[in-house]
Amino acid sequence: MDIISQRFSSVKPSLTKAMTQRATTLQGQGCDIITLSQGEPDFPTPVSICEAGIEAICAGNTKYTAVAGIEPLREAIIEKFSRDNGLNFSTDQVSVGCGAKQVLFNALMVSLNPGDEVIFPTPCWVSYPDMIHLAGGIPVPVSCPPSTGFKITPDLLEAAITNKTKWLMLNSPSNPTGAVYSRAELGALADVLRKHPDVWVLCDDIYEKLVYGDVEFTTLAQIAPDLGDRILTVNGVSKAYAMTGWRVGYGAGPAHLIKAMNTLQGQTTSHTSSISQYAALEALRGSQDFIKAFQSTYQSRRDLVVDRLNRVEGMSCHRPDGAFYVFPDCSGLMNKQTPQGKLIKTDSDLTMYLLEEAGVATVPGSGFLASPFIRISYATSTTDLESACDRIIAACHLLK
Ligand code: PLP
């Protein structure tokens, strides 16, 4: 009898992690690989935040904490929501977990009955379908083409809702497309949601701080306060403060949902690291100045990558408003032949070719339920980005 459960057997390893792992293995074998597959800032965690972690250790804050997170951190999260998003929460409406990832998973686990449907626009973050599936729900991907800016429209949403729909998951700015929903777009989705009082909304705002130019970040709970009793707003410190390894994310929403999520967390991980919680407290309460510096660096890197990739015949790259990814359409490169005589039939074939021929690790769009695209992270040094783009241009030029 197989030890692996049926529930688990269809869960796939994260494709982004798999590609990065493959690149690391090749690097270990001495290959010259530039990794553009990772979804994390290349900047170090700011020193003041690291120092807060060290102080927590020295002060003996190294024991179990409250399951929902230490009180001062939950208060800092409440202040953040009020300051940045005009949202008001109390401490029993906030749960801190091991990254936004765990908070999202906790929410799905405590709310989904077998057969409940969860709508999410695609291209989507690789983990949504597997998380939904693991929690017993049915993933309902809604294909959102470049013509909609990769965003779900009111019509697409209306058409996807059934009497089994439990959640709509919205991710803005989006991984992998960088799409950011405007006030008007969120307002139009809110109008649809008002007609369906049983549908809840999970807003994954993890890339909130990474929007560029005049683009303004807004979140659904801010646009539609009347829907607040069925919105869970999720955020975290990983992307904004370059703290991916510290594992701190948080969610805020209706107290009875948060209570259930805390109960689940209490029976699984208990809470995230006490040390990380003190570091996250400093991140949220300390100076926010370096975020501006991160933003301007990312913006110039985005422009560099978009401009260069658009020189590749067969690739078409939009200029995303947020996050740190570009998601070029690679239709024009399909069915071309490599110098080794291999046909590029899918975006997976293309990423494999780019890895082997150009030494550049990217992620196939299929992992984000959209083909033929590839995802390129520009959260890496400008020198590496320049060189990676040049290599991609040269490798694609060889395709016939
Ligand atoms: N949501 C999206 C869309 C992401 O891209 C990620 C990380 O890549 C997360 C959530 C999870 O972030 P973390 O668990 O590090 O807070």
Side-chain angles (χ1 to χ4, degrees):
M1 204 168 54
D2 192 357
I3 186 66
I4 305 301
S5 70
Q6 282 174 7
R7 180 171 7 92
F8 183 77
S9 58
S10 64
V11 175
K12 302 171 293 307
S14 155
L15 203 57
T16 47
K17 294 218 185 311
M19 269 314 268
T20 306
Q21 187 56 49
R22 173 129 180 75
T24 310
T25 308
L26 287 174
Q27 274 164 341
Q29 292 165 0
C31 302
D32 171 18
I33 307 288
I34 303 175
T35 306
L36 306 183
S37 51
Q38 79 285 24
E40 66 178 350
D42 58 315
F43 304 114
T45 307
V47 173
S48 54
I49 299 174
C50 295
E51 280 171 356
I54 294 166
E55 271 164 34
I57 297 174
C58 298
N61 288 320
T62 52
K63 302 287 173 64
Y64 289 134
T65 74
V67 168
I70 55 169
E71 187 97 11
L73 177 56
R74 277 182 289 149
E75 275 159 11
I77 291 165
I78 291 168
E79 286 158 25
K80 176 257 172 280
F81 276 122
S82 162
R83 179 180 70 223
D84 296 350
N85 313 111
L87 298 176
N88 295 314
F89 294 108
S90 47
T91 44
D92 62 344
Q93 291 186 286
V94 175
S95 177
V96 178
C98 302
K101 202 172 214 170
Q102 192 195 8
V103 177
L104 292 166
F105 186 62
N106 286 349
L108 294 170
M109 274 302 279
V110 302
S111 60
L112 292 179
N113 288 311
D116 281 350
E117 296 175 358
V118 181
I119 296 171
F120 54 93
T122 64
C124 66
W125 183 39
V126 286
S127 297
Y128 290 158
D130 290 285
M131 278 186 186
I132 295 163
H133 180 74
L134 263 175
I138 300 179
V140 180
V142 175
S143 175
C144 301
S147 57
T148 70
F150 297 112
K151 298 182 228 182
I152 194 164
T153 61
D155 288 348
L156 287 170
L157 175 59
E158 184 72 70
I161 294 176
T162 72
N163 58 6
K164 294 252 171 68
T165 307
K166 193 72 165 263
W167 289 100
L168 162 68
M169 292 179 83
L170 274 184
N171 172 218
S172 173
S174 149
N175 174 6
T177 66
V180 180
Y181 286 78
S182 68
R183 275 171 181 273
E185 286 162 343
L186 289 176
L189 294 177
D191 287 341
V192 175
L193 291 161
R194 285 189 185 98
K195 291 191 254 161
H196 300 277
D198 295 329
V199 178
W200 284 57
V201 191
L202 230 165
C203 291
D204 178 351
D205 296 350
I206 192 79
Y207 294 97
E208 165 180 13
K209 297 293 174 194
L210 304 180
V211 290
Y212 309 116
D214 295 336
V215 175
E216 183 202 19
F217 170 84
T218 35
T219 191
L220 188 69
Q222 192 176 6
I223 299 297
D226 57 311
L227 303 182
D229 59 358
R230 51 185 169 114
I231 296 177
L232 179 70
T233 305
V234 176
N235 210 320
V237 296
S238 286
K239 315 287 176 174
Y241 303 95
M243 290 179 70
T244 43
W246 297 79
R247 309 309 302 130
V248 183
Y250 51 86
H256 66 293
L257 172 64
I258 295 292
K259 189 173 170 209
M261 289 163 60
N262 288 338
T263 303
L264 172 63
Q265 185 156 287
Q267 297 290 27
T268 51
T269 56
S270 295
H271 54 78
T272 194
S273 145
S274 58
I275 301 152
S276 298
Q277 292 186 55
Y278 283 93
L281 177 60
E282 170 59 26
L284 293 179
R285 285 229 171 114
S287 163
Q288 307 291 302
D289 290 351
F290 49 82
I291 292 182
K292 282 222 158 22
F294 288 168
Q295 273 172 340
S296 96
T297 307
Y298 285 135
Q299 185 171 346
S300 51
R301 289 174 179 176
R302 174 199 66 175
D303 292 340
L304 179 154
V305 173
V306 170
D307 293 344
R308 291 208 185 190
L309 292 184
N310 276 328
R311 286 186 214 154
V312 177
E313 206 184 315
M315 230 185 231
S316 158
C317 191
H318 68 291
R319 196 173 303 269
D321 288 330
F324 42 55
Y325 309 104
V326 293
F327 199 60
D329 181 343
C330 301
S331 326
L333 294 171
M334 295 301 108
N335 297 314
K336 294 211 169 190
Q337 215 171 40
T338 70
Q340 294 76 27
K342 210 176 150 227
L343 203 60
I344 305 276
K345 290 196 285 273
T346 62
D347 46 30
S348 291
D349 293 343
L350 181 63
T351 52
M352 214 33 91
Y353 171 69
L354 292 177
L355 186 60
E356 279 156 17
E357 176 70 34
V360 180
T362 58
V363 189
S366 53
F368 308 93
L369 306 191
S371 287
F373 293 85
I374 60 172
R375 191 196 73 174
I376 291 179
S377 160
Y378 52 86
T380 197
S381 75
T382 306
T383 323
D384 273 357
L385 286 173
E386 280 171 347
S387 157
C389 289
D390 289 347
R391 291 185 191 190
I392 293 174
I393 294 170
C396 291
H397 195 67
L398 294 177
L399 295 172
K400 295 285 172 256

